[in-house]
Amino acid sequence: MNNITEKPELVMDVAEHFCPNPNCPTVGHKGQGNLRIHSKAELRLRCRVCRKTFTMTKLTPFYALKSDPALVTIVITLLGWGCPVQAIVKAYGLDERTVASWLERVGTHSQTVHQKLVVQGKLDLQHVQADEIYLKGHKFRAWLAMAPRGYRMVSTRLWLGGVVHQKRERALADELLQLVVRCCHVFAVVLVAVDGWKAYPRAIVKAFRASLPPPSGKRGRPRKIGWPGLMMAQVIKRKLKGRLVEVERRVLRGQSE
């Protein structure tokens, strides 16, 4: 039987990494066959194209972090599922400032990845759902407007982003829909489904516009036209004494099937 304190050997899977050198032709591309193990002790890889070496944690939240990545992953997972910070501190013997720094590090990294991969105007969204919820926290209250990509299967939804405002105001809807527009192709065919909040229809029409023709260099703002492939639908839920009694579906733009 192996000693329970013995750490398992770390498998360095080079196929799951890419060269982070911005001047390398293979940057951002996995499985190119250009990476080799440079040092197992230091977890470093070497690119055969640009001949640069780099640590496996480069471009990850664990880069230059002395803490155990497995422990950080567990703590962040617990925080994501709503586990109280005090419980995590007690269970793992950590300092609250340490947990806060890990959360900030992972949050900043996640935001960077989201901007690089999602908010690039290259997605074929087809169907977007917009909704908002009321948040209550320690000494604050706010509204969170969010936009997942809609599918028949909830497990395959793509999170496009969210916007937080202290009030449920028109600016909240405007900012959320502008975020959605930055994620998808210009003039793509897309269905936007919202609830009965009156700010949504106007915010959708305002956001889904583009300049046509491109700016000519002359003075004045170029004319904007609405997306011809834009469709809008509303799902209005009516409740009586806290119980759902009716669901009304409206087609605001486009044709119902």
Side-chain angles (χ1 to χ4, degrees):
M1 180 181 293
N2 295 331
N3 192 334
I4 59 175
T5 61
E6 182 181 352
K7 294 182 179 180
E9 183 180 355
L10 179 62
V11 178
M12 300 180 67
D13 188 1
V14 296
E16 293 299 320
H17 298 270
F18 60 85
C19 180
N21 181 13
N23 298 322
C24 181
T26 65
V27 60
H29 299 283
K30 297 181 180 179
Q32 300 297 307
N34 60 307
L35 300 182
R36 294 293 182 269
I37 298 177
H38 182 73
S39 173
K40 286 187 176 182
E42 298 179 357
L43 301 180
R44 295 190 68 85
L45 302 178
R46 180 176 180 269
C47 178
R48 300 177 64 184
V49 176
C50 65
R51 300 183 181 277
K52 299 290 186 179
T53 65
F54 60 94
T55 178
M56 292 177 61
T57 57
K58 187 72 172 180
L59 302 182
T60 73
F62 310 115
Y63 180 66
L65 185 65
K66 296 181 180 180
S67 304
D68 183 8
L71 177 59
V72 177
T73 302
I74 292 175
V75 170
I76 296 301
T77 302
L78 293 174
L79 290 174
W81 285 92
C83 182
V85 176
Q86 293 78 6
I88 297 176
V89 169
K90 185 67 175 179
Y92 293 97
L94 301 172
D95 190 278
E96 290 188 8
R97 292 168 295 183
T98 301
V99 176
S101 65
W102 292 352
L103 181 61
E104 182 179 2
R105 173 188 285 260
V106 174
T108 302
H109 178 78
S110 300
Q111 185 176 11
T112 302
V113 173
H114 185 268
Q115 292 292 330
K116 292 291 185 180
L117 300 182
V118 179
V119 190
Q120 291 293 325
K122 299 180 180 180
L123 301 178
D124 183 17
L125 299 181
Q126 300 181 6
H127 181 197
V128 179
Q129 298 175 357
D131 200 359
E132 69 285 343
I133 59 175
Y134 188 57
L135 303 176
K136 292 183 180 180
H138 181 62
K139 296 184 179 180
F140 86 93
R141 295 183 180 183
W143 283 90
L144 169 63
M146 47 193 171
R149 178 182 178 182
Y151 283 101
R152 292 182 180 179
M153 293 180 60
V154 178
S155 60
T156 58
R157 286 184 178 178
L158 172 65
W159 173 262
L160 300 181
V163 180
V164 178
H165 279 222
Q166 290 186 342
K167 297 181 179 180
R168 192 176 184 232
E169 53 193 358
R170 182 178 299 172
L172 178 65
D174 289 338
E175 191 173 343
L176 177 65
L177 271 301
Q178 290 169 6
L179 172 63
V180 173
V181 170
R182 293 197 300 269
C183 295
C184 60
H185 292 288
V186 178
F187 295 129
V189 178
V190 57
L191 168 63
V192 183
V194 296
D195 57 20
W197 188 22
K198 296 181 179 180
Y200 274 135
R202 182 176 178 179
I204 296 172
V205 175
K206 180 180 177 181
F208 284 84
R209 296 186 301 165
S211 300
L212 191 69
S216 59
K218 298 181 180 179
R219 296 183 60 182
R221 188 175 62 181
R223 183 175 62 91
K224 291 186 176 182
I225 64 171
W227 292 20
L230 173 64
M231 296 175 286
M232 296 187 298
Q234 272 187 326
V235 179
I236 302 176
K237 299 179 181 179
R238 296 184 175 88
K239 296 182 179 181
L240 179 63
K241 296 182 180 180
R243 298 184 62 182
L244 181 64
V245 295
E246 183 183 3
V247 177
E248 180 183 359
R249 295 175 174 85
R250 299 177 182 177
V251 178
L252 304 181
R253 176 176 293 190
Q255 297 180 354
S256 60
E257 297 181 355

